[in-house]
Amino acid sequence: MNFSRTLQAGLLALAMTSVPAMAARQLHFAIDGAQFKLDGQPFVIRSGEMHYPRIPRAAWRERLRMARAMGLNTVTTYAFWSQHEPEPGQWNFTGQNDLRAFIKTAAEEGLHVILRPGPYVCAEVDFGGFPAWLLRTPGLRVRSMDARYLAASARYFKRLAQEVGDLQSSRGGPILMLQVENEYGSFGRDHEYMQAVRTQMRKAGLDAPLFTSDGGAARLFEGGTLADVPAVVNFGGGADDAKASVEALAAWRPKGPRMAGEYWAGWFDHWGEQHHVVPPETAARTVDWMLSQNVSFNLYMFHGGTSFGWLAGANYSGAEPYQPDTTSYDYDAALDEAGRPTAKYHAMREVIAKHVKEALPPVPAAPRPEAVPAFELAPAGSLLAVLDKLSKPRESRWVGAMEEFGQNYGYINYRKRLDAPAKGKLVLDELHDQATVLADGKVIGRLDRRRSENSLAVDLPAGTQLDLLVEAMGRIGFGGKLVDDRKGITRAVKLDKEELEGWTVYPLPMDVAALKRLPAGGTADPQAPGFWRGTLTLDKPVDTFLDTRGWGKGQVWVNGHHLGRFWHIGPQQTLYLPASWLKAGANEVLVFTTEPPTAKTMQGVSEPVFDTPR
């Protein structure tokens, strides 16, 4: 009897261990010259981009199901180093950051996966997806052969492979292929660095087929590709742009696959600029052309979602020194921010349906965001009155970047008691990004990096308490300036040409643990930075958009979930609030403002609001 049970157990164990090998034979993906092949047959990738941290976990499956119903056979996502290693050696692959669960859910819904692990991802996220703590090391340069950076990225790849390595197509899993770095040709031409990234990936156990992805100019291919790694091309616009970009790729790699690694079917927004849209007809015609030519594609984005919390990054251009990204990453995508199919979704679904043999799954029922009644918000204390509850002060001879104080995101307050009268020009040298200047608790000025503002005239008596509250509005995530975009006052504070010394510094990451230490109520000067608290009472949880019009500028937390930044300058005037973060009954709403609100209530609306920037 015991021998029989032992034999049965051994046979079961043998059967279980053979499953991965069998699956590997059944699901074999390869890049064969100009073709992708699945199980030895030509395979056209019809992919859409979705980012797991930007979608409430409870909605992952329904959004993936929407992708399958539109006719996609693959979903693409970056892996976000910043979310998975928030502090050196501290790993987070749980909850909203459970990449493995996201990939497995995609497979369960009949979708393959393309994984873009970075280490750099862009994606309009803070620091291009790099963890902010890299900036604490003086002189460290990301995306280079800097040994300190490469040691950190090697550790990241090793941990990532432990999480998802067995899900690669090379081992029978749904991850078809992996991208090496991301659009490196738009940053540099260091092929030794690109080789180092590839070596790190392989050494870590990331052994699925590889590819690189760059824009369609020869100089970008020259900088970002590797001779023995297949390349794909990124572009926006219409069918003519697609044709030109694919031809440029074919000219560069005559024997390589034809794929749009990113077809920009929409675009993202900056605060104070216009909301971007791409006509559905343009996107549909472009997809139609690609499928008619057997060109594989990845829609960037299929579903953009929301840059919750501190996730949003920033850009810059020749005319604009600093362009912070909005919280909404709606992207004018096929699925809107709440996961509803748009006219663009239906137009592309119709095009895909005529190019594929199988019948497409029916479109699932769409989410239905609802309006919720207005609720009051009462003062919960001015920021300066509760500083000691939110932060442990640090004495410092000089001001410095928040990274120097071990801080990654949020706000930082620099305080100095003036020991002599201060009359002249107060200069915040290298201000990153927006400052509220207070004298004895009263606002005397606001400075905005977007407008290259860094100084104001002051006439203050001796003994004045000077507070400089600085907001980090997202690190630059694209181009050469991303390498050192530290936050706070990153150089000096001067009165005319004399540098001011002797500061008390309050780091304010405003994490959930710190916010729990806030008092239940309190008085506040509406003109000064402060907190507001209210209760949203619901019969049942519903998706909604919090209407932030009339609330100036600030942040919102609901039941401890950080929805993100709002700002009256637009174009975004609402914050997406998913039902899964709510409950029947009382829901706690906490608002922090740095610019004066004119409203006393907030409500939920059923549609997002994007207005003309002011």
Side-chain angles (χ1 to χ4, degrees), residues 39-58:
D39 299 333
Q41 299 300 313
F43 181 63
V44 175
I45 296 170
R46 305 187 303 272
S47 177
E49 187 104 4
M50 299 167 60
H51 299 152
Y52 53 101
R54 284 177 157 143
I55 308 167
R57 178 167 179 158

PDB file of all heavy atoms in Angstrom, residues 39-58:
ATOM      1  N   ASP A  39       4.201  28.638 -33.492  1.00  0.00           N
ATOM      2  CA  ASP A  39       4.022  27.220 -33.838  1.00  0.00           C
ATOM      3  C   ASP A  39       4.433  26.951 -35.281  1.00  0.00           C
ATOM      4  O   ASP A  39       3.795  26.147 -35.987  1.00  0.00           O
ATOM      5  CB  ASP A  39       2.568  26.788 -33.639  1.00  0.00           C
ATOM      6  CG  ASP A  39       2.111  26.936 -32.201  1.00  0.00           C
ATOM      7  OD1 ASP A  39       2.975  26.863 -31.310  1.00  0.00           O
ATOM      8  OD2 ASP A  39       0.912  27.132 -31.969  1.00  0.00           O
ATOM      9  N   GLY A  40       5.445  27.659 -35.756  1.00  0.00           N
ATOM     10  CA  GLY A  40       5.967  27.443 -37.094  1.00  0.00           C
ATOM     11  C   GLY A  40       5.183  28.131 -38.199  1.00  0.00           C
ATOM     12  O   GLY A  40       5.583  28.065 -39.366  1.00  0.00           O
ATOM     13  N   GLN A  41       4.087  28.818 -37.843  1.00  0.00           N
ATOM     14  CA  GLN A  41       3.264  29.476 -38.848  1.00  0.00           C
ATOM     15  C   GLN A  41       3.435  30.991 -38.778  1.00  0.00           C
ATOM     16  O   GLN A  41       3.637  31.557 -37.695  1.00  0.00           O
ATOM     17  CB  GLN A  41       1.779  29.127 -38.628  1.00  0.00           C
ATOM     18  CG  GLN A  41       1.479  27.642 -38.733  1.00  0.00           C
ATOM     19  CD  GLN A  41       1.830  27.077 -40.092  1.00  0.00           C
ATOM     20  OE1 GLN A  41       1.478  27.666 -41.119  1.00  0.00           O
ATOM     21  NE2 GLN A  41       2.531  25.944 -40.095  1.00  0.00           N
ATOM     22  N   PRO A  42       3.351  31.695 -39.931  1.00  0.00           N
ATOM     23  CA  PRO A  42       3.433  33.158 -39.915  1.00  0.00           C
ATOM     24  C   PRO A  42       2.398  33.748 -38.953  1.00  0.00           C
ATOM     25  O   PRO A  42       1.253  33.287 -38.901  1.00  0.00           O
ATOM     26  CB  PRO A  42       3.139  33.545 -41.363  1.00  0.00           C
ATOM     27  CG  PRO A  42       3.530  32.338 -42.156  1.00  0.00           C
ATOM     28  CD  PRO A  42       3.190  31.152 -41.303  1.00  0.00           C
ATOM     29  N   PHE A  43       2.826  34.748 -38.214  1.00  0.00           N
ATOM     30  CA  PHE A  43       1.975  35.316 -37.165  1.00  0.00           C
ATOM     31  C   PHE A  43       2.066  36.834 -37.216  1.00  0.00           C
ATOM     32  O   PHE A  43       3.162  37.398 -37.125  1.00  0.00           O
ATOM     33  CB  PHE A  43       2.433  34.802 -35.796  1.00  0.00           C
ATOM     34  CG  PHE A  43       1.626  35.297 -34.634  1.00  0.00           C
ATOM     35  CD1 PHE A  43       0.281  34.979 -34.502  1.00  0.00           C
ATOM     36  CD2 PHE A  43       2.220  36.085 -33.655  1.00  0.00           C
ATOM     37  CE1 PHE A  43      -0.455  35.421 -33.416  1.00  0.00           C
ATOM     38  CE2 PHE A  43       1.494  36.535 -32.563  1.00  0.00           C
ATOM     39  CZ  PHE A  43       0.146  36.206 -32.437  1.00  0.00           C
ATOM     40  N   VAL A  44       0.945  37.512 -37.390  1.00  0.00           N
ATOM     41  CA  VAL A  44       0.877  38.973 -37.367  1.00  0.00           C
ATOM     42  C   VAL A  44       0.428  39.397 -35.970  1.00  0.00           C
ATOM     43  O   VAL A  44      -0.660  39.024 -35.511  1.00  0.00           O
ATOM     44  CB  VAL A  44      -0.092  39.517 -38.433  1.00  0.00           C
ATOM     45  CG1 VAL A  44      -0.237  41.037 -38.300  1.00  0.00           C
ATOM     46  CG2 VAL A  44       0.403  39.157 -39.833  1.00  0.00           C
ATOM     47  N   ILE A  45       1.268  40.167 -35.308  1.00  0.00           N
ATOM     48  CA  ILE A  45       0.963  40.628 -33.954  1.00  0.00           C
ATOM     49  C   ILE A  45       0.001  41.810 -34.039  1.00  0.00           C
ATOM     50  O   ILE A  45       0.289  42.825 -34.693  1.00  0.00           O
ATOM     51  CB  ILE A  45       2.242  41.030 -33.213  1.00  0.00           C
ATOM     52  CG1 ILE A  45       3.158  39.813 -33.016  1.00  0.00           C
ATOM     53  CG2 ILE A  45       1.927  41.680 -31.873  1.00  0.00           C
ATOM     54  CD1 ILE A  45       4.542  40.155 -32.500  1.00  0.00           C
ATOM     55  N   ARG A  46      -1.146  41.680 -33.386  1.00  0.00           N
ATOM     56  CA  ARG A  46      -2.106  42.771 -33.261  1.00  0.00           C
ATOM     57  C   ARG A  46      -2.173  43.115 -31.768  1.00  0.00           C
ATOM     58  O   ARG A  46      -2.925  42.501 -31.015  1.00  0.00           O
ATOM     59  CB  ARG A  46      -3.484  42.369 -33.787  1.00  0.00           C
ATOM     60  CG  ARG A  46      -3.480  41.847 -35.215  1.00  0.00           C
ATOM     61  CD  ARG A  46      -4.882  41.628 -35.755  1.00  0.00           C
ATOM     62  NE  ARG A  46      -5.680  40.731 -34.948  1.00  0.00           N
ATOM     63  CZ  ARG A  46      -5.724  39.397 -35.089  1.00  0.00           C
ATOM     64  NH1 ARG A  46      -4.963  38.801 -36.014  1.00  0.00           N
ATOM     65  NH2 ARG A  46      -6.496  38.656 -34.319  1.00  0.00           N
ATOM     66  N   SER A  47      -1.370  44.079 -31.369  1.00  0.00           N
ATOM     67  CA  SER A  47      -1.191  44.352 -29.942  1.00  0.00           C
ATOM     68  C   SER A  47      -1.746  45.713 -29.553  1.00  0.00           C
ATOM     69  O   SER A  47      -1.863  46.621 -30.377  1.00  0.00           O
ATOM     70  CB  SER A  47       0.302  44.280 -29.583  1.00  0.00           C
ATOM     71  OG  SER A  47       0.510  44.603 -28.219  1.00  0.00           O
ATOM     72  N   GLY A  48      -2.044  45.830 -28.282  1.00  0.00           N
ATOM     73  CA  GLY A  48      -2.415  47.113 -27.699  1.00  0.00           C
ATOM     74  C   GLY A  48      -1.688  47.290 -26.381  1.00  0.00           C
ATOM     75  O   GLY A  48      -1.517  46.339 -25.612  1.00  0.00           O
ATOM     76  N   GLU A  49      -1.245  48.507 -26.109  1.00  0.00           N
ATOM     77  CA  GLU A  49      -0.476  48.799 -24.886  1.00  0.00           C
ATOM     78  C   GLU A  49      -1.416  49.121 -23.724  1.00  0.00           C
ATOM     79  O   GLU A  49      -2.368  49.899 -23.858  1.00  0.00           O
ATOM     80  CB  GLU A  49       0.466  49.975 -25.133  1.00  0.00           C
ATOM     81  CG  GLU A  49       1.417  50.258 -23.993  1.00  0.00           C
ATOM     82  CD  GLU A  49       2.838  49.786 -24.264  1.00  0.00           C
ATOM     83  OE1 GLU A  49       3.103  49.298 -25.381  1.00  0.00           O
ATOM     84  OE2 GLU A  49       3.687  49.914 -23.374  1.00  0.00           O
ATOM     85  N   MET A  50      -1.141  48.509 -22.585  1.00  0.00           N
ATOM     86  CA  MET A  50      -1.825  48.784 -21.323  1.00  0.00           C
ATOM     87  C   MET A  50      -0.796  48.679 -20.203  1.00  0.00           C
ATOM     88  O   MET A  50       0.054  47.787 -20.242  1.00  0.00           O
ATOM     89  CB  MET A  50      -2.955  47.776 -21.080  1.00  0.00           C
ATOM     90  CG  MET A  50      -4.046  47.777 -22.126  1.00  0.00           C
ATOM     91  SD  MET A  50      -5.139  46.330 -21.996  1.00  0.00           S
ATOM     92  CE  MET A  50      -5.793  46.538 -20.346  1.00  0.00           C
ATOM     93  N   HIS A  51      -0.886  49.551 -19.206  1.00  0.00           N
ATOM     94  CA  HIS A  51       0.091  49.561 -18.118  1.00  0.00           C
ATOM     95  C   HIS A  51      -0.594  49.223 -16.801  1.00  0.00           C
ATOM     96  O   HIS A  51      -1.460  49.980 -16.338  1.00  0.00           O
ATOM     97  CB  HIS A  51       0.766  50.934 -18.026  1.00  0.00           C
ATOM     98  CG  HIS A  51       1.514  51.301 -19.259  1.00  0.00           C
ATOM     99  ND1 HIS A  51       1.704  52.617 -19.648  1.00  0.00           N
ATOM    100  CD2 HIS A  51       2.120  50.534 -20.212  1.00  0.00           C
ATOM    101  CE1 HIS A  51       2.404  52.637 -20.782  1.00  0.00           C
ATOM    102  NE2 HIS A  51       2.660  51.386 -21.134  1.00  0.00           N
ATOM    103  N   TYR A  52      -0.195  48.133 -16.212  1.00  0.00           N
ATOM    104  CA  TYR A  52      -0.868  47.625 -15.014  1.00  0.00           C
ATOM    105  C   TYR A  52      -0.927  48.625 -13.858  1.00  0.00           C
ATOM    106  O   TYR A  52      -1.942  48.677 -13.157  1.00  0.00           O
ATOM    107  CB  TYR A  52      -0.224  46.291 -14.573  1.00  0.00           C
ATOM    108  CG  TYR A  52       1.278  46.330 -14.388  1.00  0.00           C
ATOM    109  CD1 TYR A  52       1.860  46.427 -13.139  1.00  0.00           C
ATOM    110  CD2 TYR A  52       2.128  46.261 -15.499  1.00  0.00           C
ATOM    111  CE1 TYR A  52       3.235  46.462 -12.984  1.00  0.00           C
ATOM    112  CE2 TYR A  52       3.500  46.300 -15.355  1.00  0.00           C
ATOM    113  CZ  TYR A  52       4.048  46.409 -14.100  1.00  0.00           C
ATOM    114  OH  TYR A  52       5.418  46.453 -13.958  1.00  0.00           O
ATOM    115  N   PRO A  53       0.105  49.486 -13.601  1.00  0.00           N
ATOM    116  CA  PRO A  53      -0.053  50.426 -12.482  1.00  0.00           C
ATOM    117  C   PRO A  53      -1.073  51.528 -12.767  1.00  0.00           C
ATOM    118  O   PRO A  53      -1.510  52.207 -11.841  1.00  0.00           O
ATOM    119  CB  PRO A  53       1.350  51.033 -12.324  1.00  0.00           C
ATOM    120  CG  PRO A  53       2.269  50.137 -13.070  1.00  0.00           C
ATOM    121  CD  PRO A  53       1.454  49.583 -14.191  1.00  0.00           C
ATOM    122  N   ARG A  54      -1.435  51.703 -14.025  1.00  0.00           N
ATOM    123  CA  ARG A  54      -2.361  52.778 -14.397  1.00  0.00           C
ATOM    124  C   ARG A  54      -3.820  52.314 -14.456  1.00  0.00           C
ATOM    125  O   ARG A  54      -4.699  53.094 -14.806  1.00  0.00           O
ATOM    126  CB  ARG A  54      -1.954  53.347 -15.759  1.00  0.00           C
ATOM    127  CG  ARG A  54      -0.728  54.251 -15.692  1.00  0.00           C
ATOM    128  CD  ARG A  54      -0.306  54.729 -17.045  1.00  0.00           C
ATOM    129  NE  ARG A  54       0.472  55.966 -16.943  1.00  0.00           N
ATOM    130  CZ  ARG A  54       1.507  56.274 -17.705  1.00  0.00           C
ATOM    131  NH1 ARG A  54       1.930  55.408 -18.627  1.00  0.00           N
ATOM    132  NH2 ARG A  54       2.134  57.419 -17.555  1.00  0.00           N
ATOM    133  N   ILE A  55      -4.053  51.052 -14.125  1.00  0.00           N
ATOM    134  CA  ILE A  55      -5.391  50.488 -14.172  1.00  0.00           C
ATOM    135  C   ILE A  55      -5.699  49.877 -12.809  1.00  0.00           C
ATOM    136  O   ILE A  55      -4.888  49.091 -12.300  1.00  0.00           O
ATOM    137  CB  ILE A  55      -5.498  49.396 -15.259  1.00  0.00           C
ATOM    138  CG1 ILE A  55      -4.993  49.918 -16.607  1.00  0.00           C
ATOM    139  CG2 ILE A  55      -6.935  48.890 -15.384  1.00  0.00           C
ATOM    140  CD1 ILE A  55      -4.774  48.820 -17.636  1.00  0.00           C
ATOM    141  N   PRO A  56      -6.833  50.196 -12.191  1.00  0.00           N
ATOM    142  CA  PRO A  56      -7.155  49.538 -10.918  1.00  0.00           C
ATOM    143  C   PRO A  56      -7.120  48.018 -11.081  1.00  0.00           C
ATOM    144  O   PRO A  56      -7.656  47.489 -12.066  1.00  0.00           O
ATOM    145  CB  PRO A  56      -8.581  50.029 -10.614  1.00  0.00           C
ATOM    146  CG  PRO A  56      -8.746  51.277 -11.407  1.00  0.00           C
ATOM    147  CD  PRO A  56      -7.898  51.110 -12.633  1.00  0.00           C
ATOM    148  N   ARG A  57      -6.490  47.336 -10.166  1.00  0.00           N
ATOM    149  CA  ARG A  57      -6.311  45.896 -10.320  1.00  0.00           C
ATOM    150  C   ARG A  57      -7.643  45.180 -10.555  1.00  0.00           C
ATOM    151  O   ARG A  57      -7.724  44.237 -11.342  1.00  0.00           O
ATOM    152  CB  ARG A  57      -5.597  45.310  -9.105  1.00  0.00           C
ATOM    153  CG  ARG A  57      -5.445  43.802  -9.213  1.00  0.00           C
ATOM    154  CD  ARG A  57      -4.490  43.222  -8.203  1.00  0.00           C
ATOM    155  NE  ARG A  57      -4.406  41.775  -8.347  1.00  0.00           N
ATOM    156  CZ  ARG A  57      -3.395  41.036  -7.923  1.00  0.00           C
ATOM    157  NH1 ARG A  57      -2.358  41.614  -7.335  1.00  0.00           N
ATOM    158  NH2 ARG A  57      -3.395  39.726  -8.087  1.00  0.00           N
ATOM    159  N   ALA A  58      -8.684  45.623  -9.890  1.00  0.00           N
ATOM    160  CA  ALA A  58      -9.987  44.983 -10.036  1.00  0.00           C
ATOM    161  C   ALA A  58     -10.517  45.084 -11.459  1.00  0.00           C
ATOM    162  O   ALA A  58     -11.416  44.320 -11.838  1.00  0.00           O
ATOM    163  CB  ALA A  58     -10.984  45.612  -9.068  1.00  0.00           C
TER     164      ALA A  58
END
